Amino acid sequence: MMPRLSRLSASGSITALAAVACLIAGSAVAPAWAQDQATSAEPAMASPTGPNDLLNATLWMQRSVEYKANSLVIYALGRVRLDEALADPSWSALDQSDAADKPAAIILDLDETAIDNSAYESGLVTTNSDYSSKTWDAWTKAEDAKAVPGVIDFLKYADSKGVKIFYITNRNADQEEATRANMEALGYPMGGNVDTFLMNKEKPEWTSDKTPRRDHVAKDYRVLELFGDNFNDFTDKASGTMDEREAAFEELKDHFGKDWFMLANPTYGSWESTAYDNNYKLSTEEKRAKKVEALKPWTPAAQ
Ligand SMILES: [Mg+2]
């Protein structure tokens, strides 16, 4: 989860960690994606007292073959589309109109898109604890994240075609070294002499809203594909109300399956914080009430 903070990269801008925490127990911390907007990254810990809402999502991501099969499909389609993109000089996942002569690149989020932090999240369930920037940082420094199924083979293929691979993550700049070591050991393409790890706060204008970092890549490259697990990995229209996000999705949905690819992440994300208006100061109970309120249930008629 934490990675969520970083992982998420929501337009909001907390840190992935925070996001995780929030998801887990409705703590006061904002997720990574929302972190930048939060005034403090440190959650006011509210120990969960009941069943943990993260259990099923974490179990699915860490132990199900269904999750593995799902991500394999995403990266298999990514490879098919990459071949199409390389054969089409007008192709751009960022609607670039002047990029035909630029070298090709793709952009991936890290947490829960390219690397798997489900062990951290599972630990939050088994210890009945919330995400915290301290434990999240310890997790990143442990360099124990795993590869999301299918991603390494896909990235090695893209690399073999001369495509530059950029990682835009809301993990913080001071976590870059450990993140690089973790990923290099797993076999990810590392970018050679180009800095392809674009971290949150690495430059003052690089906030949890990833748009400036996408623009940074687009200056010198034709961006063929985007991969993420959060709407804000693709657009700055990920924040806002549920209705606003639905409207943005309707406007942008033709990208998905063509040049944008969304990994499933039921454990955290802007989809969840949107349900409680991105108000990380609400109590766990208040957040749960808002989420239940957001449901559209059918119930049987009273007997
Ligand atoms: Mg992510």
Side-chain angles (χ1 to χ4, degrees), residues 220-234:
D220 299 319
Y221 293 87
R222 183 162 62 99
V223 179
L224 305 182
E225 297 179 319
L226 305 178
F227 293 82
D229 70 303
N230 192 298
F231 200 24
N232 80 338
D233 292 324
F234 306 90

Side-chain angles (χ1 to χ4, degrees), residues 126-144:
T126 58
T127 60
N128 212 17
S129 56
D130 292 341
Y131 157 93
S132 79
S133 58
K134 183 177 179 181
T135 59
W136 174 243
D137 190 61
W139 163 254
T140 63
K141 303 293 169 55
E143 303 174 13
D144 201 26

Side-chain angles (χ1 to χ4, degrees), residues 7-8 109 111-113 229 233 268:
R7 329 164 174 182
L8 296 182
D109 165 58
D111 294 313
E112 276 50 76
T113 295
D229 70 303
D233 292 324
Y268 63 88

Side-chain angles (χ1 to χ4, degrees), residues 5 14 17-31 35 38-49 128-134 276 279-287:
L5 307 186
I14 300 175
L17 305 177
V20 172
C22 298
L23 301 176
I24 294 177
S27 75
V29 180
Q35 238 166 351
T39 54
S40 168
E42 288 303 331
M45 302 292 281
S47 293
T49 53
N128 212 17
S129 56
D130 292 341
Y131 157 93
S132 79
S133 58
K134 183 177 179 181
Y276 53 83
N279 184 356
Y280 303 99
K281 294 180 179 175
L282 294 179
S283 69
T284 299
E285 292 71 22
E286 289 169 327
K287 289 174 183 171

Side-chain angles (χ1 to χ4, degrees), residues 2 4 9 13 25 67 73-74 76 83 96 98 106 112 135 142 153-154 160 182 221 236 241 243 275 277 290 293:
M2 332 210 103
R4 338 173 142 164
S9 68
S13 58
Y67 165 73
V73 167
I74 296 296
D83 286 337
Q96 295 165 278
D98 59 348
I106 58 175
E112 276 50 76
T135 59
D153 285 348
F154 167 70
S160 75
N182 190 167
Y221 293 87
D236 61 3
T241 65
D243 286 346
D277 307 320
K290 289 271 191 184
E293 225 173 80

